Amino acid sequence: MNLTMSSFQKVILVMLLMILTSCGSSQFSKEYIEKYDTGEPNLLNDFHNLRDDSYYVPYLNRDLTFIQFNGTASTFYTGKAMFDNHDTWSKFYFDNDQNREFILWREVIITRDRTPVNIITSGDENPYTTKASFAAFDMKGNDLLVAGSSYRQELIEEMAALIRQNNEENKEFYKRYWAARDPRIFEIMLKEGKFDPEPKFDMNR
């Protein structure tokens, strides 16, 4: 055997790395299949499926149920749906790590019995899918999307309908959003001709 101990160790190290890499890849593929819409494109004005989730909401200082619309073409679909149909939001909020933003509409008339509700929209994406989500709570802070809520199905159906009715040619939400969210990015977009000139906008008015 011509291999020195040093060379032998190198061969063993390479083999171990290959095994570990293979195991990691296999595990990742399993997670990919179980959690994500593999092979399916994000849908314009539609979504693949729904999922319940829960996020901490600074406005209420507690978690709320969020309904995720998975496989949307944009993380903004729930926010745009609200803006296009219920006008400008009331306030932006961020989680403690500043990684997730929430856009709040206060006292919206959206239910059949015309009970005022508060709607929060958010969104998320990863290399595999895009998700647009929303939460709803009443004037007392009760979660209206929690299992068993009498408003849950009605609100989900309403938001789904608004997503499917989205008019992509209407860019007003995006103009307002970027002008409020990051004026520097908005100025770049204006220079690139993506939007018509827009006056400064206070996202917390």
Side-chain angles (χ1 to χ4, degrees):
M1 183 173 178
N2 295 326
L3 290 173
T4 66
M5 181 60 69
S6 177
S7 298
F8 181 73
Q9 288 175 333
K10 290 179 181 178
V11 171
I12 294 298
L13 180 60
V14 170
M15 290 177 64
L16 285 173
L17 287 173
M18 290 176 66
I19 292 171
L20 289 173
T21 302
S22 174
C23 290
S25 176
S26 174
Q27 183 180 5
F28 181 81
S29 297
K30 182 180 178 182
E31 292 177 354
Y32 182 97
I33 292 170
E34 288 179 349
K35 292 186 179 180
Y36 304 117
D37 295 317
T38 60
E40 295 180 331
N42 292 335
L43 298 175
L44 185 67
N45 301 342
D46 209 344
F47 52 92
H48 291 307
N49 53 56
L50 298 173
R51 176 185 171 186
D52 279 40
D53 214 328
S54 180
Y55 301 132
Y56 173 79
V57 178
Y59 181 74
L60 293 178
N61 197 31
R62 64 180 176 82
D63 288 354
L64 272 183
T65 302
F66 276 76
I67 299 299
Q68 285 185 350
F69 295 88
N70 295 317
T72 55
S74 169
T75 61
F76 295 115
Y77 266 13
T78 48
K80 187 176 187 301
M82 287 300 299
F83 181 90
D84 289 353
N85 293 275
H86 298 281
D87 206 5
T88 305
W89 54 83
S90 302
K91 198 171 180 64
F92 270 65
Y93 288 90
F94 297 90
D95 65 12
N96 292 334
D97 296 325
Q98 297 289 302
N99 292 324
R100 181 179 296 280
E101 67 185 20
F102 303 99
I103 309 179
L104 169 68
W105 278 261
R106 293 191 184 101
E107 301 184 33
V108 177
I109 303 300
I110 196 173
T111 60
R112 285 187 290 270
D113 66 7
R114 302 188 62 79
T115 297
V117 299
N118 303 294
I119 301 291
I120 296 177
T121 66
S122 189
D124 191 19
E125 62 183 339
N126 54 52
Y128 318 108
T129 192
T130 300
K131 298 169 278 188
S133 57
F134 84 107
F137 59 98
D138 64 17
M139 298 302 107
K140 296 180 180 179
N142 297 313
D143 189 338
L144 299 182
L145 295 179
V146 69
S149 167
S150 59
Y151 288 103
R152 175 184 165 93
Q153 191 62 32
E154 180 183 356
L155 289 169
I156 291 174
E157 290 176 357
E158 174 67 14
M159 186 62 74
L162 294 181
I163 287 174
R164 289 170 173 146
Q165 296 164 14
N166 174 47
N167 177 7
E168 278 295 311
E169 294 182 1
N170 181 0
K171 305 294 184 182
E172 189 65 23
F173 167 77
Y174 299 111
K175 290 163 61 177
R176 294 287 188 177
Y177 172 84
W178 285 113
R181 179 67 174 85
D182 194 324
R184 292 172 300 175
I185 293 179
F186 181 66
E187 289 299 323
I188 292 173
M189 289 180 169
L190 284 179
K191 291 178 181 178
E192 292 177 348
K194 294 187 176 181
F195 301 131
D196 295 329
E198 183 77 9
K200 292 185 182 296
F201 180 73
D202 181 4
M203 67 180 176
N204 293 321
R205 74 183 180 91

